[in-house]
Amino acid sequence: MNRAALLIAVMALCTVALRALPFLFMPEKKETPELIVFLGEHLPPAMIAMLCVYCLRSTDLKGPSHGIPELISVIAVCLLQKWKHSSLISVGGGTLLYMILIRILL
Amino acid sequence: MAYKSRKEQIRKAFLTSLPVMAGYVILGIGFGILLAEKGYGVLWAFAMSLFVYAGSLQYAGVSMIESGVSLITCAMTSIMINARHLFYSISMIDKYKGSGKYKPYLIFSLTDETYSLLSDGSVPEGCAPSFYRFMVSLFNHSYWVAGSVMGSLLAEALPFSAKGIEFSMTALFVSSFSEQWYTSKDHTSALCGLVSSFLCLMIFGADDFLIPSMALIMLEMMILAGRRK
């Protein structure tokens, strides 16, 4: 049990260190370097694209549903977002659609 | 500029955080169940979700705790799984400036999902940026902790008819990706991210593609930044 507590402490420390490190190098008073401003603007879309791929990484194209529920639901989320610009509607709608599709197609 | 009342700002933050709620509660429940099955009860789930607060690492953490890996292995695994958080923080340095007393918590609680809600830097009208971001982060954190505790308590009693609800995480990232796509004219970095990570997924496979993807994206960012000068 003590071992488990230690392991949890290590996980917590490593995670917070990764999150805090860039901030520690850039104190409030210093003016933000141009490169960091550039990254702040351009990195988020790239990182979020990576997260999308990460979430879909294990989609089994050769499985019984051939990844069709994933494909349709992702398209639905994009269209809903374009239409309403509300992530609540697109996330809710897309997830509901996905849950229906995997029940129909599997 | 006059801000709205605290209550109204909290309401706005709550609305923003809602899309994360379902996913965090469900994923939290899954984690709580997993941990409980290894013989670690509700206090463990609570503590781990409160202090570690990193979804994929906590799932990996369950098996690390079970097999009792060395502290070094644990640290290495944690850093590998969570390396992407370095980049989230880098891109929030400017936006989180001047957050004062809220800043430590904002940094601690910068998960994938919180990042996807706050990374575009926008804040609803009449909300103080740092307070609003603090509340969004706090709501998300509380969903995660609540889910873990619920999962731990329910353990096997849960009827898992909610199959597929985990897709809400995917949907969340897809919605913030498409929102950024629709609201910006320059799609270079979005495409860089998409193509690079897809390429790395093809080459390195599902288990090992994150680190190479991040390296490739960073390289492209450097090239883009250099070209702009």
Side-chain angles (χ1 to χ4, degrees):
Chain A
M1 284 294 176
N2 282 336
R3 175 120 201 127
L6 266 179
L7 289 173
I8 292 172
V10 169
M11 286 180 230
L13 282 176
C14 290
T15 305
V16 77
L18 286 170
R19 286 175 184 158
L21 212 60
F23 289 96
L24 295 179
F25 276 104
M26 288 295 149
E28 289 265 326
K29 280 161 253 136
K30 251 171 76 177
E31 203 192 320
T32 318
E34 229 176 279
L35 179 65
I36 299 294
V37 175
F38 179 87
L39 289 178
E41 229 174 278
H42 291 83
L43 206 46
M47 281 288 128
I48 287 172
M50 185 184 81
L51 281 174
C52 294
V53 175
Y54 179 75
C55 279
L56 294 163
R57 73 192 185 284
S58 309
T59 306
D60 187 5
L61 297 178
K62 295 186 192 80
S65 65
H66 303 286
I68 293 167
E70 283 81 2
L71 181 69
I72 295 177
S73 311
V74 163
I75 292 171
V77 172
C78 294
L79 292 177
L80 282 171
Q81 189 68 33
K82 184 168 188 151
W83 181 39
K84 285 286 181 189
H85 290 283
S86 149
S87 45
L88 188 56
I89 291 173
S90 7
V91 172
T95 307
L96 200 67
L97 180 65
Y98 179 79
M99 292 172 76
I100 295 168
L101 286 175
I102 55 171
R103 281 167 176 76
I104 298 172
L105 293 175
L106 278 181
Chain B
M1 188 172 65
Y3 290 128
K4 292 183 177 137
S5 69
R6 276 283 153 112
K7 209 176 135 190
E8 184 57 25
Q9 293 187 38
I10 293 172
R11 201 182 71 88
K12 285 266 191 258
F14 176 66
L15 288 178
T16 303
S17 76
L18 266 183
V20 173
M21 187 198 263
Y24 261 14
V25 169
I26 296 300
L27 289 175
I29 286 177
F31 165 74
I33 292 175
L34 206 61
L35 194 64
E37 279 170 354
K38 310 292 180 203
Y40 294 88
V42 64
L43 271 179
W44 289 96
F46 176 76
M48 215 168 150
S49 287
L50 188 67
F51 296 121
V52 182
Y53 191 30
S56 37
L57 174 61
Q58 284 181 234
Y59 272 87
V62 173
S63 55
M64 286 199 281
I65 289 173
E66 192 196 12
S67 52
V69 296
S70 72
L71 297 185
I72 297 291
T73 308
C74 178
M76 296 278 282
T77 311
S78 307
I79 290 168
M80 293 287 276
I81 292 180
N82 278 340
R84 62 187 186 284
H85 290 282
L86 268 180
F87 299 103
Y88 300 164
S89 291
I90 289 173
S91 60
M92 296 309 269
I93 286 175
D94 217 27
K95 289 161 201 142
Y96 278 1
K97 255 193 180 171
S99 300
K101 61 184 173 192
Y102 299 119
K103 198 167 177 180
Y105 182 74
L106 286 178
I107 294 172
F108 162 78
S109 59
L110 195 57
T111 59
D112 299 312
E113 290 73 16
T114 307
Y115 179 73
S116 85
L117 292 182
L118 301 177
S119 66
D120 69 349
S122 65
V123 168
E125 224 187 292
C127 289
S130 47
F131 179 68
Y132 165 80
R133 288 170 179 149
F134 170 74
M135 286 313 300
V136 171
S137 307
L138 189 64
F139 275 123
N140 287 350
H141 195 180
S142 64
Y143 305 146
W144 179 246
V145 174
S148 314
V149 167
M150 269 154 52
S152 184
L153 293 175
L154 295 171
E156 282 162 53
L158 201 78
F160 248 116
S161 56
K163 189 171 165 259
I165 200 156
E166 71 281 355
F167 187 78
S168 64
M169 288 292 77
T170 314
L172 176 72
F173 298 132
V174 172
S175 83
S176 43
F177 178 81
S178 56
E179 182 62 25
Q180 287 189 334
W181 185 278
Y182 299 137
T183 52
S184 72
K185 274 175 259 149
D186 180 14
H187 301 315
T188 319
S189 37
L191 283 172
C192 275
L194 205 57
V195 174
S196 314
S197 25
F198 190 72
L199 205 69
C200 288
L201 176 64
M202 293 292 117
I203 298 172
F204 297 97
D207 294 331
D208 302 305
F209 85 101
L210 266 188
I211 305 272
S213 305
M214 286 184 288
L216 189 55
I217 290 170
M218 221 42 200
L219 184 72
E220 290 160 352
M221 288 291 138
M222 293 302 155
I223 294 170
L224 283 175
R227 279 210 337 216
R228 276 243 300 221
K229 274 183 190 155

